[in-house]
Structures are given as structure tokens and as C-alpha cells.
Amino acid sequence: MKKFISITSIVALLCAGGYAAAELADGYTKVDPPNAEHPLDELISGYQFRKEGTQATQDDDFENPGMLLLDQAMDQWSVAEGSEGKACSDCHSDDPLESMQGVGSTYPKFTEEGDHRAFRNIENQINHCRTERMGAKPWKYDKPDMLGMTILVRHADRGEPVNVAIDGDAESYFERGKEMYYTRYGQLDMACSHCHEDNYGNYIRADHLSQGQTNGFPTYRLKWQGVGSVHRRFKGCMKNIRAEPYKVGEEDFLSLELYTSWRGQGLPIETPAVRN
Ligand code: HEC
Ligand code: HEC
């Protein structure tokens, strides 16, 4: 006879200990949800669930390994490439952090009208400028050039609240992302919500479960020994529950990115965050 294990018992098996959110360290990066329909009572950055040493590495720009990629992207900004012989700086401005202010906190979103109108995250927008405007090769997802430039765009908004639009045309992406968030996947038959909504604050093996917020991405991870995109993280979480992950940069994960961003609507951008 087949035996079924309930989700609660899987999570109970995986989780030990348990900290009430109120017992977390000082300097709490916590904000109120955007409205009463929001599923969480309080929005807490993943920063708050990491050990002091990891937090200290994030706090110190000279120690934070993600800052190296930012430096490289600052140089890349004015490098002319492609058939048009143009650099980002030719169309945007010489000061990348200034010209990208107010941009990173609003993605993913629809950009441009006409034939080019599409729902994009920062990575896709950067490649759109490269291929359509510079006549340059697209950068590969999760490679240093792309990660660095994505960090740059997000970092220009560091400290600014996540501010994504979920109405109008974005609504269908939002709904798709929400559906994914509550869908059980993989051999463990678990949904994102089982860990990041029902069990944040608890331990899963040695890991202190957070709300799975995305305000620190791209993020430097000790486990990766490098920086990774939010889609790479989604992939990792899906693999952990032994599910077949969706493809990075494509519609499913874009939808999930919009939905998870909204779950952190108002949290300050931390990019590049440091996690274990
Ligand atoms: C079995 C439990 C589990 C499930 C299910 C799960 N995750 Fe995670 N997730 C983790 C753990 C453990 C971590 C690392 C510690 C932490 O931040 O919670 C993590 C981290 C994350 C982070 C990084 C948070 C940060 O601050 O850097 C994001 C984003 C995330 N998960 C999203 C998702 C999404 C989206 C899904 C559903 C597709 C999902 N997770 C499903 C366990 C899970
Ligand atoms: C030939 C001109 C041109 C070049 C070169 C160019 N862009 Fe753009 N870019 C634009 C235009 C036009 C837009 C759409 C209008 C806007 O939002 O500023 C845009 C939009 C963007 C946006 C979205 C801004 C927003 O408000 O949502 C980002 C991010 C961006 N570009 C990044 C880059 C990066 C990084 C490079 C270099 C790798 C680059 N662009 C090169 C013309 C260019």
C-alpha cells in the first residue's frame, strides 16, 4: 500500500527549533505589507535571517564580494560595442548610478511601446539594449558581465523600496506567479509557500528559513562562491524539492519574479546582498 506523508509532517521533519520573528536581531529590515490583501503580516528581508558574520560582509562594501562585479560594470558602462559602436553611456549618461536611479526597484515590468513592448526583467532589458540598440551580442544569463550590469542597475536604487506594478498588463504575469508560488512541485510535493510563508523563522536542517524575499538580488552566495541571479535561486529551490526547474530568463520565472517582488513591496533594495 502506498503511504502519503502530509506536507506538515515533511516540514516538521525538516525543521527543528524555531525562532519567533520578534526574537530576531536588531537592525531588523522589516516593513508593513502594501495592503490588507497581502499574505504576510510583516515583510522581512533575508538579511535578518543570516548570521552576524554574513550580515557584516554585506554591510562592508570593501568586504562584500558582489561589489567587485559592480566595479567591473561601472567600467563596462562606457565601453563601445557592437555594429553601432555605442556604449551604454552614449544613450544613458556618463554617470551610470545617477542615470539608473529609480529603475532597478521597478522591475520586472513592461517596457516600450510598439513592436518592442514586452514584459522584461533587468537582465532582459539590458540584452534588449545590447542586441537592438548596440548591435552587440547578448550577454549570457548568470555570467559576470550580465550579473555585474544587473547589480549596477539595482545598486543605483540601493535603500529604495521595491516598487513593482502589478496592475494593467502586468496582472496576468502577477496571477501566473502567484499560482506558481502556491503550486506543489517535485517529488517532495511542496510549494514555495510551505517554506517561505508557513515556516519562515524555522530551521530547515542548518538553514534559517526566510520569507524568500528578492530585494538583495543579484546576491553573492558563499555556497556558490560567487554572485547569482534571482532566477538561479528559484532554480535551486525547485531542485531542492526535486522538481524540474523552469528556464532562467523566461516567462514562468519572470512571472514568479514579479510575484515574489510584490511579496517584498516596500522592502529596501540591498543589492548586492550576501547570503550563505
Ligand atoms: C523545502 C523548503 C523550500 C521551498 C519549498 C522553497 N525554498 Fe526558497 N529557500 C529555501 C532555503 C532553505 C533558502 C535559504 C535560506 C532562506 O533564505 O530561507 C531559500 C532561499 C530562497 C530565496 C533567497 C532569499 C534571500 O534572502 O536571498 C528565494 C528568493 C527563494 N528561496 C525563493 C523560493 C521560491 C520562489 C520557491 C518556490 C519555487 C522556493 N523558494 C521554494 C527553502 C525552500
Ligand atoms: C543606442 C542607445 C542605447 C544604448 C547604447 C543603450 N541603451 Fe539602454 N535604453 C535606451 C532607450 C531608448 C531606452 C528606453 C527609454 C528609457 O527607458 O530610457 C533604454 C532603456 C534602458 C533601461 C530601462 C530603463 C527604465 O527606465 O526602465 C535599462 C536598464 C538600460 N536601458 C540599460 C542599458 C545598458 C546597461 C546599456 C549598455 C549595455 C544600454 N542600456 C545601452 C537606449 C540605449
Side-chain angles (χ1 to χ4, degrees):
M1 208 180 83
K2 243 184 170 176
K3 261 196 177 165
F4 291 97
I5 306 178
S6 75
I7 289 301
T8 2
S9 57
I10 292 176
V11 172
L13 276 171
L14 293 171
C15 296
Y19 275 69
E23 290 166 19
L24 290 166
D26 293 340
Y28 220 50
T29 313
K30 185 179 111 170
V31 300
D32 287 332
N35 57 41
E37 283 92 71
H38 198 282
L40 299 164
D41 301 334
E42 49 183 4
L43 317 188
I44 312 167
S45 167
Y47 175 90
Q48 224 36 74
F49 297 86
R50 307 287 44 104
K51 294 218 169 79
E52 252 172 55
T54 312
Q55 294 178 341
T57 310
Q58 175 175 321
D59 292 341
D60 183 346
D61 283 350
F62 294 99
E63 292 283 321
N64 183 339
M67 295 301 280
L68 290 173
L69 283 184
L70 172 66
D71 289 345
Q72 287 171 26
M74 297 284 275
D75 293 338
Q76 182 67 37
W77 184 258
S78 48
V79 175
E81 274 188 90
S83 56
E84 304 302 308
K86 288 221 155 75
C88 317
S89 55
D90 288 321
C91 300
H92 293 288
S93 87
D94 285 339
D95 183 341
L97 293 179
E98 195 189 81
S99 90
M100 286 292 132
Q101 256 171 35
V103 174
S105 52
T106 64
Y107 275 78
K109 69 176 181 194
F110 272 94
T111 53
E112 285 185 71
E113 301 300 325
D115 291 349
H116 285 303
R117 184 170 161 78
F119 188 72
R120 299 186 173 98
N121 63 0
I122 296 170
E123 285 90 337
N124 293 349
Q125 175 65 43
I126 290 170
N127 266 348
H128 180 69
C129 281
R130 287 183 60 79
T131 57
E132 304 305 312
R133 298 189 170 120
M134 299 166 68
K137 277 197 187 139
W139 279 328
K140 290 215 172 78
Y141 224 91
D142 273 307
K143 294 290 182 208
D145 285 329
M146 179 58 98
L147 288 166
M149 199 56 82
T150 308
I151 287 181
L152 185 156
V153 175
R154 288 276 279 190
H155 187 78
D157 270 357
R158 184 162 73 166
E160 294 301 316
V162 173
N163 182 24
V164 289
I166 59 169
D167 55 351
D169 290 351
E171 198 179 330
S172 60
Y173 288 84
F174 177 83
E175 290 303 332
R176 166 76 183 129
K178 181 177 179 183
E179 179 202 321
M180 290 171 73
Y181 201 86
Y182 291 100
T183 298
R184 291 159 184 256
Y185 288 105
Q187 286 172 31
L188 293 190
D189 199 30
M190 289 176 85
C192 315
S193 59
H194 290 129
C195 286
H196 294 302
E197 183 169 312
D198 303 341
N199 279 289
Y200 71 84
N202 288 328
Y203 278 85
I204 182 162
R205 298 199 188 88
D207 255 328
H208 197 186
L209 268 178
S210 74
Q211 293 181 339
Q213 297 290 3
T214 57
N215 55 314
F217 281 87
T219 289
Y220 177 85
R221 264 190 94 190
L222 299 162
K223 188 187 157 191
W224 291 334
Q225 289 289 300
V227 173
S229 67
V230 67
H231 289 194
R232 181 173 176 190
R233 183 48 123 150
F234 291 165
K235 232 169 95 173
C237 279
M238 290 194 79
K239 281 186 174 164
N240 285 344
I241 49 175
R242 297 192 205 112
E244 183 62 42
Y246 294 100
K247 289 211 170 71
V248 298
E250 295 189 3
E251 201 151 302
D252 295 297
F253 273 170
L254 287 177
S255 306
L256 193 56
E257 185 179 348
L258 176 65
Y259 180 68
T260 51
S261 299
W262 175 79
R263 291 179 69 93
Q265 185 88 310
L267 275 176
I269 305 268
E270 289 173 19
T271 309
V274 176
R275 303 286 186 257
N276 48 321

